Each structure stands twice: as C-alpha cells, then as structure tokens.
Amino acid sequence: MSLARIYGMQTLLRTAHLRKCVVKVCGASGPSALPWLESVSRRSILTGGGASHEKLAPKPVPKHDWNRAVSEAEKIVGYPTSFLSLRWLLSDEIANVALHLRKLVGSNHPLLRTAKMLIFNGKNNMQAWGLIVLLVSKAVGHAPTVPDLEQDKSAGVLQSQRGLAEITEMIRTAQLVHQGLVNLQSLDEAGNELGSDSDTIFGNKIALLSGDYLLGNACLQLAGLRNQPLIELISSAVRDLAESNFIGERDQQNNPLPSCPLDCPGMAAADRDSEPEGAVNFGDLVSNTQPLSLEGVMGNPEREWALRHILGAGSLLGKSCQGAMMLAEQSEALQRRGYMFGKHLSLAWQSCIDLEPFGCDHLPPGVRFSLVSAPVLFHLAHDPSLYEEIQKGRESVDNIDFVKVHAAVLKGPGPERTRILQKKHSEAALEVLNDLPPSDARTALQNIILAMQDI
C-alpha cells in the first residue's frame, strides 16, 4: 500500500473522530462549526495529513536593525574594529587622557559630548568605518600574488588591511576630537590675556593634544605599511579633512553657515531637476588625489552639500576602501570602484543623519541642528527669504531662532528632497556591491546600507 493511500486513510479517520468531538462540545451550535471543520479537513488532505506536514504561516520580515547589522558584520571580520579596543584602553597615554577628562565633568566643554559619543558608540557616528573597510576587503578578496604570511585566513583579510582599518578610525576620531576646540577669543580681542575660565582652557588642551596623539599614531602606522601610493592617497584624505574646515562662511566658533542661494530666476526648479552628475557623481570624474574645485558649487544646495561632506567625511572613507583594494593588489578600475562605494555610502549615511532632526513636528527645547544639512540647504533654494534668519548667526549661531528655521524647513520640500538624495546615494553604493561576487561580507554591507534608512 502506498504512503499516499495510508495518509489518506489516516486523514479520514482523524476527520471522523474530530467531527464527533465537535458535535459533543458544540451541542446545538454544531452546524455552525461544520464550515470550519470542512476547511480543516480540506487543509489536512491538501498538506498530506498530520500537523507535522502542515505549512507554517510565513513570519513577518524583520525590520532592518542597525545594531544587529553591525554586530553580524563584526562576526564576519573576526572582532570589533574600533580603536577603543583593549590594547588602546590599556595604553598609558589613553589612560591619562581619560583621567584628565574627569576634571571636565560638570563643565560645558564640547569635548565631553564628543567623548561620550565615541565611547557610547551610538548608531549616528561613524565608528563603524573600520568595519566597513574590512568588509570591503573581504568582499573583494586579494590577488594570488599576496604572500601567505600577509594573510589573516581566519578573517579573510590581510594584516595590512586590518591596520588600515584602524588607521581610518584613528584619523576620523582625531578629527572629531579636534572639532571640540572652543574659540576663547573673538578676532578683535586676539592676543589679549585669556579669561578665567580654566575648565574651558584645560578642555582645549586635552582636545588638542589627544587629537594630535591619535593623528600622530595614525601617521606612524600608515608609514609602517611601507606603501608609497597608499601613503599619498590617505594623505590627500587628511588634506581634505583640513580643507573642510575652511570652506564657506562660519561663525566665531567655527560652526558652518550655508552660502547665500544663487540669485538666478528659476534656480530652485532647475536644481530640482538637476543632472545626476552634478549631485550623485560629484567629483568622480577627476583624480581623487587632487583638490576639489569650488567653482559653481557654493549656493547650489546639492553640490554645496556634497562638497562639504565629501571633504569632511566621504573622502576618508572612500579612499580607505580604495586603499584596501590597493593593498590587495586589485586592478586600478576596481580600486576606483571602491572609492566610489565608500564615498556614496558616507553621503547616504550623512543624509540619514541630516533628516533626523526633522522627523518630529516640534523641535525640543535647546536642541540645535546643522545649518548646512541637506534639508536646510534645499529649503533655502526654495525660499531664499529664510537666509535673513541665517545671517543673524554670523557672530554666533546661538543668535539664530532654530525653532523658526525648523518649522519653515518642515513646511518646504527640504525633507522630501533629502530622502530622494539618500536613496540616490544608497543605490549608487549598492550598484558597486552588485558587481562583486556573492559573499557574506557583501551581504553584511548591503544590510548596513538598508539599516541606515531606519536611523
């Protein structure tokens, strides 16, 4: 007797027994239970009998979670890549910095906020940069000419690539720490004796020296890789980081201010339909070791935003991904694709961060946001009259009514155009990944890009 016939006989017996049980339990309401019973019988027959053969209902697809995406990615490359590893925390220099930071507790020095962000390792900072460099390294692989001693076969990356990942994070962190410096004197009072605010002076010293320490160690490790083209590439990224602090107008505390919108008829409409090369591929058509040109950039919202954040972040991540492929002795064409991936990933990440303050209808008291964020720049092109409020911050951004700016931007096209911008850069990064062979590292990078949209 065939198995199908046996299952059929078992189903008929089970149905008959179930019918008797239903009649006993339901009593007078038994007839109303018959349609339900017939559906159970049909489902049981179609699935071949018992409950063990019945198909389970599909589980809902889980929402992409940032922390889980990063945690799974770290397992792929071996261990967390942040420079805040055990060997760094146990070094005398970092221990001394931590002790000195305790003296700033209770003050308003911005270095404390920077330190809290780095140690907490929240999802809105770029402490995952080294992780991305290692994932790119593993996804691309290396040439067969690379010596075996150079390979970390357990993680699938090279020892030099792991060193480059740490160098990238140290340079990025040094930049963030240096941005915690406070200008204690206006330009008119430069050269006079400083005030009696000893906590602020002490905080500036710690920010300057600890940032210099990280940057110096990064340069030392970079030189230790003994790769002249790589040294030139990463050095140009450091140059871009420095240049990012000197473009456009700034207040006396070096907070960036947006440029005046270009005064040309129909500018906002023309920019809304701007060509892709002007925004997504900005800077891709020139040698990435050369300085980017400011011509036709300032006042154009999309190009100005791209320039600011390529110099301030995208250049370092893109060139680090390119350098990882350089260490793996991959072709120059593939190295260039690595640069584009890192650059577009950084810009997509930045657009997500720029959108966060505009996710609520009302700005919480005391909260400020970047005045050169994409939603603000897009709104200024749409409604240049808001620039009058921005001009109040030339001396200090504290003079600007952020609640007014926030409410105006929410009513305009800025947030929606920023979402479109984020989608374009995410797709540009995914397009590079799609050219790589399938692997767990490539999947991890794709998950990180998708999880960014939920930041």
Side-chain angles (χ1 to χ4, degrees):
M1 184 179 295
S2 64
L3 290 176
R5 190 171 181 181
I6 293 175
Y7 282 137
M9 294 177 63
Q10 289 178 343
T11 301
L12 292 176
L13 292 174
R14 189 181 299 104
T15 302
H17 178 70
L18 183 60
R19 184 183 295 273
K20 292 179 182 179
C21 294
V22 170
V23 171
K24 289 180 181 179
V25 174
C26 297
S29 61
S32 63
L34 289 178
W36 169 81
L37 181 61
E38 294 297 332
S39 65
V40 172
S41 302
R42 287 193 298 269
R43 186 170 66 250
S44 181
I45 293 174
L46 290 173
T47 56
S52 60
H53 297 276
E54 186 173 350
K55 293 182 179 179
L56 298 177
K59 295 182 180 180
V61 178
K63 189 177 181 180
H64 291 284
D65 180 75
W66 170 259
N67 293 327
R68 186 178 64 180
V70 172
S71 177
E72 292 176 352
E74 287 178 341
K75 296 176 183 177
I76 293 174
V77 296
Y79 55 83
T81 59
S82 175
F83 86 95
L84 292 170
S85 59
L86 188 62
R87 66 187 183 89
W88 278 97
L89 289 176
L90 293 180
S91 67
D92 293 336
E93 293 84 355
I94 294 297
N96 289 332
V97 170
L99 290 175
H100 289 308
L101 280 175
R102 293 181 59 185
K103 299 179 182 179
L104 294 177
V105 174
S107 68
N108 294 322
H109 198 282
L111 179 60
L112 279 179
R113 294 193 296 270
T114 303
K116 180 180 178 181
M117 179 186 68
L118 295 175
I119 295 174
F120 180 70
N121 199 19
K123 62 184 180 181
N124 283 359
N125 64 61
M126 289 295 257
Q127 283 304 102
W129 278 16
L131 175 62
I132 292 172
V133 173
L134 290 182
L135 288 173
V136 169
S137 303
K138 187 170 184 178
V140 174
H142 53 80
T145 56
V146 175
D148 291 341
L149 293 176
E150 173 65 12
Q151 303 175 23
D152 182 357
K153 295 186 178 180
S154 61
V157 297
L158 304 180
Q159 300 291 351
S160 57
Q161 290 174 329
R162 192 174 293 282
L164 177 61
E166 288 191 355
I167 291 168
T168 301
E169 288 203 350
M170 280 192 288
I171 294 175
R172 171 61 171 168
T173 306
Q175 181 207 18
L176 294 176
V177 172
H178 277 154
Q179 287 179 346
L181 286 168
V182 177
N183 188 5
L184 299 177
Q185 291 180 328
S186 63
L187 185 60
D188 297 335
E189 299 177 354
N192 298 329
E193 290 187 7
L194 296 175
S196 59
D197 191 353
S198 59
D199 287 340
T200 304
I201 297 174
F202 182 76
N204 276 358
K205 292 179 180 179
I206 296 300
L208 180 63
L209 295 176
S210 56
D212 287 349
Y213 170 75
L214 290 173
L215 186 59
N217 272 275
C219 295
L220 182 63
Q221 288 196 29
L222 180 62
L225 295 179
R226 299 181 181 276
N227 188 312
Q228 185 64 27
L230 178 66
I231 293 175
E232 294 179 1
L233 182 67
I234 302 301
S235 297
S236 67
V238 176
R239 177 208 62 210
D240 292 339
L241 290 176
E243 186 178 350
S244 67
N245 294 311
F246 295 94
I247 61 172
E249 295 186 14
R250 292 177 177 262
D251 71 351
Q252 293 185 1
Q253 289 298 333
N254 202 38
N255 295 305
L257 297 172
S259 301
C260 182
L262 295 177
D263 187 16
C264 58
M267 184 268 167
D271 180 74
R272 189 177 296 110
D273 302 324
S274 61
E275 69 282 1
E277 286 188 1
V280 179
N281 297 327
F282 178 76
D284 286 347
L285 303 180
V286 298
S287 173
N288 61 351
T289 58
Q290 300 298 318
L292 292 177
S293 173
L294 295 178
E295 184 178 358
V297 173
M298 309 309 289
N300 183 311
E302 200 160 343
R303 292 176 67 86
E304 178 178 342
W305 177 85
L307 175 69
R308 288 181 181 274
H309 295 294
I310 289 174
L311 293 176
S315 174
L316 178 60
L317 183 58
K319 292 176 182 180
S320 296
C321 294
Q322 178 181 352
M325 297 185 182
M326 184 183 297
L327 292 170
E329 300 181 6
Q330 298 290 352
S331 65
E332 291 187 4
L334 190 57
Q335 293 176 26
R336 183 68 177 181
R337 297 285 284 171
Y339 166 75
M340 294 174 62
F341 169 78
K343 189 199 76 169
H344 291 304
L345 175 60
S346 174
L347 294 179
W349 200 326
Q350 184 63 46
S351 60
C352 289
I353 296 175
D354 286 356
L355 272 173
E356 187 176 7
F358 301 95
C360 55
D361 295 334
H362 302 284
L363 188 68
V367 175
R368 300 192 320 187
F369 51 86
S370 174
L371 295 172
V372 293
S373 61
V376 176
L377 292 176
F378 282 133
H379 187 84
L380 288 175
H382 169 73
D383 180 17
S385 63
L386 186 63
Y387 192 70
E388 296 179 4
E389 181 68 30
I390 301 295
Q391 286 183 314
K392 297 179 182 179
R394 288 193 172 187
E395 181 176 348
S396 174
V397 294
D398 295 332
N399 299 330
I400 296 176
D401 187 350
F402 280 85
V403 175
K404 177 181 178 180
V405 176
H406 182 269
V409 172
L410 278 180
K411 296 178 182 178
E416 180 59 29
R417 294 185 62 189
T418 304
R419 294 185 187 95
I420 296 174
L421 185 66
Q422 191 276 336
K423 182 180 179 181
K424 288 194 293 187
H425 285 292
S426 295
E427 290 176 349
L430 288 171
E431 182 182 353
V432 177
L433 286 182
N434 292 335
D435 294 338
L436 303 180
S439 65
D440 53 354
R442 191 186 81 166
T443 302
L445 288 169
Q446 292 171 338
N447 291 336
I448 288 177
I449 294 175
L450 294 175
M452 280 194 311
Q453 301 175 13
D454 299 326
I455 293 181

